[in-house]
Amino acid sequence: MTALPTAATRPSADGLPNALTDLREFLAFKIGSEEYGVDILRVQEIRSYEKPTAIANAAAELKGVVNLRGVIVPIIDLRLKLGLQEARYDHLTVVIVLNIGQRVVGVVVDSVSDVLTLEREQLRPVPTLDMDQDRDHLLAIGSVDNRMLILLDIEKLLAPALASHPTGH
């Protein structure tokens, strides 16, 4: 059964999801040579990467868990979640700790760039591509000077991983 688009997900006249109307600031980060962005209001903190405690039989993108001030936080490698090759972790590798609903989750990225404020005219709809994979987690393409930023709906991207993992409360 296919869900009907809501006002938040239904594209507006310019082809962008209406959910983007309220989003203005994004945390920009790199994975490989691409730059991505997530809603800054979801970001709790940015930490240097530390090897998490592995969980047996977990999905490949779930690197394990860390104890963050008494909260057990699942750590997901976004590179693997997006279907890219596994990265080498080095001194630039960081974990972005996010609040997603009632959950706290960490995502591993290659590096964090900056916080960007984007106006609606700097946003372009994600092109329709003949892809097998779901594109619901892609909000828009942001254009800042010579930079292209792939804006993610991080909640939709991580929903399957969080549903299958019991920690992160």
Side-chain angles (χ1 to χ4, degrees):
M1 182 156 121
T2 305
L4 295 173
T6 64
T9 59
R10 188 174 34 246
S12 61
D14 56 10
L16 296 169
N18 284 327
L20 278 176
T21 309
D22 299 331
L23 300 182
R24 292 282 182 242
E25 291 188 318
F26 296 88
L27 177 67
F29 59 89
K30 287 199 168 212
I31 298 177
S33 60
E34 302 303 324
E35 199 166 12
Y36 295 84
V38 293
D39 179 4
I40 192 69
L41 297 177
R42 297 255 187 226
V43 177
Q44 177 177 310
E45 65 184 276
I46 300 166
R47 302 172 53 88
S48 59
Y49 178 79
E50 60 185 73
K51 186 168 174 43
T53 302
I55 305 237
N57 298 322
E61 71 250 15
L62 179 64
K63 302 315 282 178
V65 294
V66 296
N67 185 337
L68 183 61
R69 294 180 294 282
V71 177
I72 303 303
V73 178
I75 303 296
I76 297 171
D77 189 322
L78 266 195
R79 179 183 286 272
L80 297 176
K81 182 70 181 163
L82 293 169
L84 305 171
Q85 293 179 349
E86 190 163 2
R88 281 187 320 232
Y89 303 125
D90 61 23
H91 68 284
L92 293 176
T93 305
V94 295
V95 174
I96 304 170
V97 179
L98 301 164
N99 291 305
I100 299 180
Q102 301 299 312
R103 316 243 355 225
V104 177
V105 63
V107 293
V108 180
V109 300
D110 293 346
S111 63
V112 170
S113 310
D114 49 11
V115 175
L116 297 171
T117 301
L118 297 178
E119 299 299 326
R120 193 162 181 87
E121 41 290 343
Q122 293 174 288
L123 304 174
R124 301 286 176 264
V126 176
T128 304
L129 303 171
D130 187 20
M131 301 188 311
D132 291 336
Q133 70 188 58
D134 193 6
R135 317 177 317 134
D136 282 354
H137 64 277
L138 303 175
L139 287 173
I141 305 295
S143 179
V144 183
D145 301 323
N146 295 339
R147 297 163 63 186
M148 296 283 284
L149 199 66
I150 302 165
L151 303 177
L152 299 174
D153 183 333
I154 199 71
E155 189 167 353
K156 285 183 182 174
L157 179 63
L158 297 181
L162 292 176
S164 64
H165 185 62
T167 65
H169 303 314

